[in-house]
Amino acid sequence: MSLLAPLVAGFDIGGTNVRGVLVDRAGHLVGADRLPRPHEPDGIVDSVVTLVARMGTDAGADAHAVGVGCAGTVDRRGVVRASPNIPTLIEFPLADTLSKRLAMPVIVDNDATTATWAEVKTGAARGIRDVVFVALGTGIGVGIVLDGELRRGAQGFAGEAGHMVISPEGPECVCGRRGCWEVFASGRALGRLTQDAAREHRVPAIVEIAGGVIDDIRGEHVSELVAEGHPEALMMLDELGWWVGLGLTNLVNVLDVSTAVIGGGLSEIGRPLIAAIRVGYNSLMHDSDHRPPLNIVGALHGGRAGAIGAALLAADELHQPSRI
Amino acid sequence: MSLLAPLVAGFDIGGTNVRGVLVDRAGHLVGADRLPRPHEPDGIVDSVVTLVARMGTDAGADAHAVGVGCAGTVDRRGVVRASPNIPTLIEFPLADTLSKRLAMPVIVDNDATTATWAEVKTGAARGIRDVVFVALGTGIGVGIVLDGELRRGAQGFAGEAGHMVISPEGPECVCGRRGCWEVFASGRALGRLTQDAAREHRVPAIVEIAGGVIDDIRGEHVSELVAEGHPEALMMLDELGWWVGLGLTNLVNVLDVSTAVIGGGLSEIGRPLIAAIRVGYNSLMHDSDHRPPLNIVGALHGGRAGAIGAALLAADELHQPSRI
């Protein structure tokens, strides 16, 4: 196996699926496949090995390196330290385990980090040097590029911006604290905000769609109505956009990025979501006379960003062999 | 004048004073001087020119480059875009103006940024690669070092973390929004928190020191009593430490720094302040089983950090002449 061979496989290990892609040296997609995400670490490793083989057969050429984006905190040696959505992955040396099984170089990083790299290298923020990628899903994951490079922090845990406290008396977060950004601005938060609105009798149509049970209202009920331009759904999107915008002002004040890329499952809502976030951000940002406006854009790679970015990172590492 | 000559002058242009230092090639202090800060930009420029000459005469050798740290937002070309504490400095090309007057290379950066560099190069965070410097003064200024380098963001405005919103319904901030971090965790905030406590009859001794007028209570009244270990002052310090700690958890979640250096005027309180911040931070940080503890330390260079760091930055630039 030559390190100069062109194909690299990328994976995104998430709450539901293990998604794989195969990309060539130019970063173009040449294959994609997925499996339901197994429960145990061994099964997860098996599924990656299976997908590497399957995608290689389909493409007629094998991958020579693997990159993995994984939900959770991943340290700089590719150990998954903890993953709230995949609780079996605790202190698990995913990079080493996969590298031994596959007999090839493997890098593992946080899934939001790898998705960020996909958007900066070949996506919505191509060529931009100071960027945050904000994945709005069940929670919020963030990736940071400053001066053209991913910034992972001391341990590799940077980008846990979903746990910025923005309201210390706010509702409880899965992390055990109160008022984290993701309590107000994630897919799960859209459901919660809409339940609150339902209790105030502001969204009767959404209550009806949810079968009349306020506690059953989910973000998806809002997303569906956004597509038809329903005023109740647009109102909830405005509310969510304000909270997303609030967190973005914090990130811009700390990092002075020029561009925010909005990804994650919620971003499938598309333009109306981006529009609502822009309105929210602009209503909140101070100092606007002396600061150029933030460029807020939707992600280009959708649900494949994490896997594509992992492949691109692994390809980058092939040219700096000291790190793998 | 040779670019290889060893002395570099550094300045900190703040709300009250223009402070100057002279450092040698090894970063050692060889002179220091100051003048009251003039009101108008022309006077500020004159005072820097005067101090360069005076410090050169005192040291028996002239500076060959100048670095300036200035309160406010400073862009990457050394233009002061706006400075809340020096309102006459608006869109003022300080680097170019000084460079013409002095006929030598001049770099200008935000004062918290230059102070950060002083602490990382020769101070409390020497040799550490992922650091936030938090200047607790009238407001809060922050400097960020990731992967061993200052991170200034797209425009040079990074580190405005004092304006992270941490309580959207909170008291008004000078920036026009509500509930920014510096409303709860700066020197001015210590006064405000103590006034609130006075209204609840929790700090009778402090009220007495302030002449019995609650509205006259300032942070300094608390600082004075801390020195004697007065329980009312320690209580207020704990409250402030909780809010400082809250903002630090946000910065750690976003940036994953390993060290936070606490500077600014309030840091003259010393160990009791650092202790209170540590308690606040540790009571708030989640995920502590998988994340090493944050190292929270006091700044080493005190009120001279901004000027020293500016000199060190200018010295660095002499070795990368393309930027000046």
Side-chain angles (χ1 to χ4, degrees):
Chain A
M1 249 183 234
S2 158
L3 283 179
L4 295 171
L7 295 189
V8 177
F11 292 90
D12 185 346
I13 301 175
T16 313
N17 290 304
V18 176
R19 286 163 171 267
V21 298
L22 205 56
V23 305
D24 68 15
R25 185 179 288 190
H28 296 129
L29 199 67
V30 296
D33 203 346
R34 71 164 86 179
L35 283 169
R37 198 261 301 161
H39 191 255
E40 297 298 324
D42 286 354
I44 293 171
V45 168
D46 287 343
S47 67
V48 170
V49 173
T50 302
L51 287 169
V52 167
R54 255 164 48 174
M55 291 193 298
T57 305
D58 288 351
D62 286 330
H64 289 72
V66 166
V68 178
C70 185
T73 46
V74 181
D75 74 18
R76 289 194 172 207
R77 290 166 299 125
V79 177
V80 182
R81 306 294 291 273
S83 179
N85 290 311
I86 314 174
T88 57
L89 287 183
I90 291 207
E91 303 292 343
F92 185 74
L94 186 55
D96 280 355
T97 308
L98 274 173
S99 185
K100 278 176 200 147
R101 281 287 299 276
L102 291 162
M104 63 178 81
V106 176
I107 60 120
V108 180
D109 218 320
N110 171 267
D111 56 347
T113 302
T114 62
T116 305
W117 201 233
E119 295 295 337
V120 166
K121 290 286 271 193
T122 64
R126 188 170 185 158
I128 301 177
R129 291 177 61 77
D130 300 286
V131 178
V132 285
F133 172 81
V134 180
L136 303 174
T138 309
I140 297 181
V142 166
I144 299 167
V145 167
L146 294 174
D147 296 318
E149 295 290 336
L150 281 168
R151 300 298 164 192
R152 298 175 174 89
Q155 308 296 322
F157 301 166
E160 291 290 319
H163 297 290
M164 284 192 295
V165 173
I166 59 167
S167 182
E169 318 261 298
E172 253 187 59
C173 180
V174 289
C175 77
R177 301 192 301 166
R178 290 186 170 276
C180 294
W181 187 26
E182 70 176 45
V183 172
F184 297 97
S186 61
R188 191 188 279 146
L190 180 59
R192 196 185 57 74
L193 294 172
T194 310
Q195 289 177 8
D196 287 349
R199 287 187 196 97
E200 295 160 2
H201 309 289
R202 294 193 286 132
V203 288
I206 297 176
V207 174
E208 204 182 312
I209 286 181
V213 183
I214 288 177
D215 286 347
D216 285 351
I217 295 175
R218 297 284 172 271
E220 291 73 18
H221 297 122
V222 181
S223 314
E224 283 164 27
L225 284 185
V226 168
E228 17 177 305
H230 196 288
E232 290 180 15
L234 295 178
M235 178 182 75
M236 293 318 304
L237 215 55
D238 283 348
E239 209 169 300
L240 183 85
W242 190 88
W243 288 107
V244 175
L246 179 72
L248 286 180
T249 68
N250 286 1
L251 291 175
V252 168
N253 271 318
V254 173
L255 301 170
D256 187 27
V257 292
S258 65
T259 299
V261 180
I262 309 298
L266 207 60
S267 71
E268 284 163 30
I269 293 175
R271 286 172 184 278
L273 176 70
I274 303 301
I277 293 171
R278 285 179 182 151
V279 169
Y281 177 87
N282 290 329
S283 75
L284 283 159
M285 195 60 194
H286 66 131
D287 198 20
S288 49
D289 287 353
H290 302 283
R291 192 192 283 274
L294 178 68
N295 190 26
I296 301 173
V297 295
L300 195 69
H301 287 303
R304 282 180 175 155
I308 291 173
L312 297 176
L313 272 174
D316 289 351
E317 297 291 333
L318 282 181
H319 300 287
Q320 304 168 33
S322 65
R323 277 198 54 195
I324 46 180
Chain B
M1 248 182 234
S2 159
L3 284 179
L4 295 173
L7 295 188
V8 177
F11 293 89
D12 186 347
I13 301 175
T16 313
N17 289 304
V18 176
R19 286 163 172 266
V21 299
L22 206 56
V23 305
D24 67 14
R25 185 180 288 191
H28 296 128
L29 199 65
V30 296
D33 203 346
R34 70 164 85 180
L35 283 169
R37 198 261 302 161
H39 191 254
E40 297 297 325
D42 286 354
I44 293 171
V45 168
D46 287 344
S47 67
V48 170
V49 173
T50 302
L51 288 168
V52 167
R54 254 164 49 174
M55 291 193 297
T57 305
D58 288 351
D62 286 330
H64 290 73
V66 166
V68 178
C70 184
T73 45
V74 180
D75 74 17
R76 290 194 171 206
R77 290 165 301 126
V79 176
V80 183
R81 307 293 293 273
S83 179
N85 290 311
I86 315 173
T88 56
L89 286 182
I90 290 209
E91 302 292 341
F92 185 74
L94 185 55
D96 281 355
T97 307
L98 274 172
S99 186
K100 278 177 199 147
R101 279 287 299 277
L102 291 162
M104 64 179 79
V106 176
I107 59 119
V108 180
D109 217 319
N110 171 267
D111 56 347
T113 302
T114 63
T116 304
W117 201 233
E119 294 296 336
V120 167
K121 290 286 272 192
T122 64
R126 188 169 184 159
I128 301 177
R129 291 177 61 75
D130 300 286
V131 179
V132 285
F133 172 82
V134 180
L136 303 175
T138 310
I140 297 181
V142 166
I144 300 166
V145 167
L146 294 174
D147 296 319
E149 295 290 336
L150 282 168
R151 301 298 163 192
R152 299 176 172 88
Q155 309 294 321
F157 301 166
E160 291 289 321
H163 297 290
M164 283 191 294
V165 172
I166 59 167
S167 181
E169 318 260 298
E172 255 188 58
C173 180
V174 289
C175 78
R177 301 191 301 167
R178 290 186 169 278
C180 294
W181 187 27
E182 70 176 45
V183 172
F184 297 97
S186 61
R188 191 189 279 146
L190 181 58
R192 194 185 58 72
L193 293 172
T194 310
Q195 290 177 8
D196 287 350
R199 287 187 196 98
E200 294 160 3
H201 309 289
R202 293 193 286 133
V203 287
I206 296 177
V207 174
E208 202 181 314
I209 287 181
V213 183
I214 288 177
D215 286 347
D216 285 352
I217 294 175
R218 299 283 172 271
E220 290 75 16
H221 297 123
V222 180
S223 316
E224 283 164 29
L225 284 185
V226 169
E228 13 177 307
H230 195 289
E232 290 181 16
L234 296 178
M235 178 181 75
M236 293 317 305
L237 216 53
D238 283 348
E239 208 167 304
L240 182 85
W242 190 87
W243 288 107
V244 175
L246 179 71
L248 286 180
T249 67
N250 285 1
L251 292 176
V252 169
N253 271 317
V254 174
L255 300 170
D256 186 28
V257 291
S258 66
T259 299
V261 180
I262 309 298
L266 206 60
S267 71
E268 283 161 32
I269 293 174
R271 286 173 183 277
L273 176 71
I274 303 301
I277 293 171
R278 285 179 183 151
V279 169
Y281 176 87
N282 290 330
S283 75
L284 283 159
M285 195 60 193
H286 65 129
D287 198 19
S288 48
D289 287 352
H290 302 284
R291 191 192 285 275
L294 178 68
N295 189 26
I296 301 174
V297 295
L300 195 71
H301 288 303
R304 281 180 177 156
I308 291 173
L312 297 176
L313 272 176
D316 288 350
E317 297 291 332
L318 282 181
H319 300 287
Q320 303 168 34
S322 64
R323 276 198 54 195
I324 45 179

